[in-house]
Amino acid sequence: MIEVKNLTKRFGGKVAVDDLSFTVEDGEILGFLGPNGAGKSTTMNIITGCLSATDGLVTVNGSDVLDEPYKAKRSIGYLPEQPPLYLDMTVDEYLSFVYELKKAKQNKKRHLEEIKSIARITDVSKRRIRNLSKGYRQRVGLAQALVGNPAALILDEPTVGLDPAQIIEIRTVIKELAHSHTIILSSHILPEVSAVCDRVLIINKGKIVAEDTPENLSHKVGGECAVTVVVEGDAEAAASAASQVPGVKNVSIVTVRPEGGAELLIKADTDVRRDISTAVSTAGGTIIEMKLNELSLEDIFIKLTEGEAEE
Amino acid sequence: MKAIFKRELMAYFTSPIGYVFIGVFAIISGIYFNQYVIVGGYNDISMPMYSSLIVLVLLVPVLTMRLIAEERGSRTEQLLLSSPVSVWGIVLGKLGAAMCVFLGAMVTTFPYVVIVAVHGVPVWGKILASYLGFFLLGLSFVSIGLFFSSITENQIIALVISLGVLLVAFLMGILPSTGISLLDDIIGLAAVTERFRSLMNGIFKLEDIVYYLSLSAMFTFFTVRSIEKRRWS
């Protein structure tokens, strides 16, 4: 659906996007993750034709963004970081303008009604955008991207600046849209990406640092497995029993509970939960809680971007 | 282009700008027309029209200041650039909308033509030439204003620069000869309002018409380039 090849963008001497290549398959949701200033918005602006690349190729639905801009732009709906709203227009006037601007072919009235119900803005149709709250404005921006029913949606930080309830609402809308659209979504909020996306692309300083599914990323970068165990009874004995288990590298007692028992953190090469359970109970201890700690995207993110910084 | 034209025209009349432009022009030009045509008994509208030029110098920047600067400031530019419209389409749509408001202002002078026609002996050739000149001058002013609106995202800066440039162009027209022929030629080229003089006297000179059209085309082209340059920089 969207193919980006060796994309480079320089602003004067500063390299914003550095030889970036990736593809997005039909119907996929790709998460774009990176700290502020990593080049996420620049990449999105280039894909949508708002900016021109210094070097590289972008094709959307088989059309080159430079050679066949109209064809490419017709298959993209874009919600920039700041929704491009004319504050002096009502929601209806605005959507009707976007409909004409994008030269959409659908039945106008029905199409716009449909979009408004997807974005949940039907109740503010007649109000001026100036008077809408930030959450509503964001949804009007999303509605604008849906006009003409483009195959691909590019959403630049769609939840930034919204309150938690609004964030959940926007995410629900995006998930609903995912059934029928290819989506690229950028964010610097990690749980958001792992909640919504099929695949994550972590970029830093204009380069791809990692690319995989949210689950695989945590395995890849983790490389090891950590288990938290809460035992009753003699903590020392349980700890020494656990450290005998093959594969276990390190056992530490995190907290000793005043009522007896302790919380242990066990690090191992593989998933050793079963063996630990057996070993501890053979040693006479009782496990009352056990949890496999997967690395969160947060950890991965910090690890990857820190690694970059050290180089 | 049509969508942009429609939106711009609507924006002029949902904000006070369109009304202010036409209203202020109608009042001030009305005073001149009243003095010349009704009080003075002239059968000619070219003199009051020439006097009204200073009003254009002051008002056209108000008309054009927001055209592109506002799009940049509010980031709506990204919507236009990611839509299947060419930069030329965007610029011409905006130019067209501003020219429509300008034509609206021109229409407010028609009653004086009617008064002249009913109570005097109108010289139609002169009247038509004056209107043509006034329109071409307006087109040049609007293109210049449009260009200065495209180089900044601050409407006030766009207003001040285009006001300054138009004022200088106007003053060039009433500058006495310096006696240095090269300097006089340059001043003559910069004196945008002076070409109007021969047209208002009923003299169709191809040179003047080409001058206005190429000036407008040049600044429209600059506007397109200035938008495209930002995409490439």
Side-chain angles (χ1 to χ4, degrees):
Chain A
M1 181 72 219
I2 298 173
E3 202 183 349
V4 173
K5 258 194 207 157
N6 307 102
L7 192 71
T8 302
K9 177 72 184 175
R10 258 173 253 130
F11 291 112
K14 195 184 161 287
V15 180
V17 176
D18 191 359
D19 201 24
L20 205 67
S21 300
F22 62 91
T23 49
V24 192
E25 304 298 333
D26 275 354
E28 193 181 21
I29 311 188
L30 178 73
F32 239 44
L33 201 60
N36 292 326
K40 293 174 300 207
S41 297
T42 308
T43 310
M44 292 186 148
N45 274 331
I46 294 172
I47 297 175
T48 53
C50 293
L51 269 179
S52 302
T54 312
D55 203 358
L57 202 73
V58 179
T59 46
V60 180
N61 224 350
S63 322
D64 190 308
V65 183
L66 270 187
D67 294 341
E68 299 174 291
Y70 296 172
K71 254 175 105 183
K73 283 173 183 178
R74 247 175 239 237
S75 24
I76 295 184
Y78 182 32
L79 171 62
E81 201 170 347
Q82 192 183 338
L85 305 172
Y86 293 100
L87 301 183
D88 55 340
M89 294 172 114
T90 66
V91 173
D92 274 346
E93 284 168 355
Y94 174 68
L95 290 178
S96 154
F97 164 67
V98 176
Y99 177 91
E100 285 172 34
L101 187 70
K102 294 200 171 169
K103 304 188 175 89
K105 297 273 187 291
Q106 286 83 356
N107 175 305
K108 186 169 178 180
K109 202 164 173 249
R110 204 181 330 130
H111 183 55
L112 294 185
E113 284 304 323
E114 207 177 282
I115 285 171
K116 281 191 285 181
S117 84
I118 294 174
R120 296 173 199 176
I121 49 170
T122 313
D123 50 329
V124 293
S125 300
K126 301 275 177 265
R127 288 183 51 190
R128 292 221 178 275
I129 295 173
R130 184 185 304 286
N131 302 328
L132 296 181
S133 69
K134 178 127 198 198
Y136 267 115
R137 286 186 191 187
Q138 193 73 24
R139 277 185 272 166
V140 175
L142 188 62
Q144 161 272 126
L146 297 175
V147 172
N149 208 4
L153 292 178
I154 296 190
L155 313 173
D156 196 353
E157 310 214 350
T159 58
V160 81
L162 301 183
D163 68 39
Q166 292 168 330
I167 290 180
I168 291 167
E169 234 175 285
I170 285 267
R171 265 189 222 166
T172 320
V173 175
I174 293 173
K175 275 188 176 165
E176 282 165 18
L177 290 170
H179 300 306
S180 47
H181 296 83
T182 305
I183 298 179
I184 300 183
L185 177 129
S186 86
S187 179
H188 59 266
I189 308 159
L190 307 152
E192 179 167 288
V193 173
S194 53
V196 182
C197 301
D198 301 329
R199 197 154 60 95
V200 181
L201 211 82
I202 300 181
I203 60 173
N204 191 29
K205 293 178 188 157
K207 279 185 178 161
I208 296 179
V209 195
E211 178 186 0
D212 217 325
T213 60
E215 301 83 49
N216 279 352
L217 269 180
S218 88
H219 286 304
K220 233 189 212 168
V221 181
E224 61 181 19
C225 159
V227 184
T228 305
V229 179
V230 180
V231 293
E232 260 179 356
D234 189 355
E236 294 290 338
S240 68
S243 59
Q244 300 305 312
V245 172
V248 170
K249 288 197 294 200
N250 176 17
V251 178
S252 54
I253 300 175
V254 183
T255 46
V256 176
R257 300 188 169 183
E259 68 270 23
E263 190 182 323
L264 309 180
L265 180 70
I266 302 168
K267 286 190 176 161
D269 296 329
T270 49
D271 188 355
V272 290
R273 282 178 293 178
R274 284 170 201 83
D275 299 339
I276 288 171
S277 166
T278 323
V280 172
S281 48
T282 317
T286 314
I287 294 176
I288 55 169
E289 231 181 283
M290 184 186 274
K291 203 177 120 232
L292 183 67
N293 302 342
E294 272 183 283
L295 274 175
S296 69
L297 269 173
E298 228 113 322
D299 303 322
I300 301 169
F301 188 64
I302 290 169
K303 253 185 150 156
L304 287 170
T305 46
E306 265 180 359
E308 276 287 294
E310 280 161 19
E311 275 172 25
Chain B
M1 180 171 137
K2 213 180 101 197
I4 290 168
F5 169 78
K6 259 172 69 182
R7 199 209 85 77
E8 286 303 333
L9 199 56
M10 206 182 78
Y12 274 129
F13 293 102
T14 49
S15 71
I17 292 182
Y19 300 104
V20 166
F21 183 83
I22 295 179
V24 172
F25 179 83
I27 291 170
I28 299 181
S29 70
I31 294 171
Y32 285 124
F33 276 92
N34 186 59
Q35 289 305 309
Y36 280 106
V37 176
I38 296 173
V39 179
Y42 268 52
N43 70 338
D44 185 8
I45 54 142
S46 58
M47 275 317 288
M49 229 175 208
Y50 184 76
S51 307
S52 307
L53 289 185
I54 183 70
V55 189
L56 286 191
V57 169
L58 301 174
L59 282 181
V60 166
V62 178
L63 192 66
T64 56
M65 64 177 183
R66 45 162 289 282
L67 282 174
I68 293 168
E70 189 187 38
E71 303 265 5
R72 285 183 63 185
S74 65
R75 301 300 157 97
T76 45
E77 193 184 30
Q78 282 176 315
L79 170 65
L80 302 184
L81 292 178
S82 64
S83 300
V85 206
S86 65
V87 177
W88 275 101
I90 297 171
V91 171
L92 290 178
K94 285 172 179 292
L95 185 72
M99 282 315 289
C100 269
V101 180
F102 180 82
L103 280 174
M106 254 171 81
V107 166
T108 65
T109 64
F110 285 179
Y112 306 106
V113 181
V114 174
I115 291 171
V116 170
V118 170
H119 297 285
V121 189
V123 186
W124 288 111
K126 223 178 145 185
I127 290 174
L128 285 179
S130 299
Y131 272 116
L132 177 71
F134 200 70
F135 177 79
L136 287 174
L137 188 70
L139 184 65
S140 310
F141 275 20
V142 168
S143 320
I144 292 171
L146 184 66
F147 169 68
F148 288 112
S149 172
S150 78
I151 59 168
T152 167
E153 50 187 88
N154 185 329
Q155 296 184 37
I156 304 301
I157 293 176
L159 172 78
V160 171
I161 299 179
S162 30
L163 185 65
V165 168
L166 293 185
L167 204 57
V168 167
F170 180 78
L171 293 177
M172 289 295 172
I174 50 178
L175 215 60
S177 166
T178 55
I180 307 163
S181 73
L182 180 68
L183 205 55
D184 279 345
D185 285 350
I186 294 170
I187 290 171
L189 271 179
V192 180
T193 51
E194 275 321 278
R195 307 269 165 167
F196 178 67
R197 257 183 206 279
S198 57
L199 276 163
M200 84 180 208
N201 289 326
I203 305 163
F204 277 98
K205 267 199 288 178
L206 189 61
E207 185 196 325
D208 294 335
I209 291 164
V210 168
Y211 172 85
Y212 280 132
L213 287 179
S214 44
L215 189 72
S216 311
M218 189 172 86
F219 274 98
T220 310
F221 176 72
F222 286 167
T223 309
V224 171
R225 293 304 302 163
S226 122
I227 294 174
E228 276 178 352
K229 187 192 154 258
R230 256 201 321 284
R231 290 174 68 189
W232 286 99
S233 65

